[in-house]
């Protein structure tokens, strides 16, 4: 029997799964104080549609096997420009670079605290200059 997962635990699993499939600009935001519909966002970027599909599949697989979670809804899987997996207390957003830059979802909820990716076991996350500046990090991960 699997141990009950908190939404934060699920977000960490999703972030790690995305990282393992070479997602970049991974951000975990705790949005529970700002939104009534979910507790955490995991937002990441995929280099192309094929990579986005692999990230979505890995996130679903890891949350299913480690947390016994299945998405309530899945959107954007036709072209993977902005794929969304809604797990209730967790929503995972997988963007291609252009839509990520256009929508700037992480800035829309910039008051939300972010979760350190090291808690997910992500050692050297890759950030663009824009995301690094939002997180007050150097682009090389320092």
């Amino acid at each position: 029997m699997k141990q009950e997962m908190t939404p934060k635990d699920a977000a960490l699993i999703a972030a790690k799964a995305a990282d393992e499939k070479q997602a970049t600009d991974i951000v975990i935001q705790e949005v529970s104080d700002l939104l009534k519909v979910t507790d955490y966002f995991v937002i990441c970027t995929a280099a192309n549609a094929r990579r986005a599909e692999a990230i979505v599949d890995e996130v679903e697989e890891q949350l299913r096997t480690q947390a016994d979670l299945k998405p309530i809804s899945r959107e954007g899987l036709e072209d993977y420009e902005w794929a969304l997996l809604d797990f209730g207390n967790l929503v995972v957003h997988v963007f291609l670079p252009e839509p990520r830059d256009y929508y700037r979802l992480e800035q829309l909820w910039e008051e939300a605290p972010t979760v350190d990716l090291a808690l997910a076991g992500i050692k050297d996350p890759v950030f663009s200059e824009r995301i690094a500046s939002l997180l007050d990090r150097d682009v090389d991960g320092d």
Side-chain angles (χ1 to χ4, degrees), residues 103-136:
Y103 288 105
R104 297 178 179 236
L105 195 59
E106 59 284 326
Q107 285 175 265
L108 188 60
W109 307 108
E110 65 187 344
E111 305 86 36
T114 57
V115 176
D116 186 352
L117 295 177
L119 295 173
I122 299 173
K123 300 199 185 323
D124 294 310
V126 177
F127 295 108
S128 64
E129 286 186 34
R130 182 177 74 79
I131 300 300
S133 69
L134 285 175
L135 299 174
D136 293 322

Side-chain angles (χ1 to χ4, degrees), residues 2-3 10-11 17 22 35 40 55 63 66 68-71 75 80 104 108 115 133 137 140 142:
K2 292 181 176 63
Q3 178 180 339
Q22 300 178 328
L35 297 172
Y40 286 88
I55 292 166
L63 284 172
Q66 294 185 48
D68 201 25
L69 290 176
K70 294 180 182 171
E75 299 175 26
Y80 286 94
R104 297 178 179 236
L108 188 60
V115 176
S133 69
R137 299 186 64 146
D140 65 4
D142 292 332

Side-chain angles (χ1 to χ4, degrees), residues 9-83:
D9 292 336
L12 294 169
I13 290 168
K16 179 69 172 170
D19 180 66
E20 289 175 355
K21 291 299 179 180
Q22 300 178 328
T24 60
D25 286 337
I26 301 170
V27 176
I28 303 172
Q29 289 182 304
E30 183 180 353
V31 295
S32 58
D33 289 341
L34 303 172
L35 297 172
K36 300 296 181 224
V37 295
T38 193
D39 294 331
Y40 286 88
F41 279 168
V42 173
I43 308 167
C44 65
T45 302
N48 54 50
R50 177 174 268 174
R51 182 78 36 99
E53 183 177 11
I55 292 166
V56 165
D57 290 348
E58 186 69 10
V59 167
E60 281 193 84
E61 175 68 13
Q62 293 306 317
L63 284 172
R64 184 182 59 74
T65 59
Q66 294 185 48
D68 201 25
L69 290 176
K70 294 180 182 171
I72 296 166
S73 71
R74 306 163 79 232
E75 299 175 26
L77 304 184
E78 305 79 36
D79 58 12
Y80 286 94
E81 284 193 15
W82 178 359

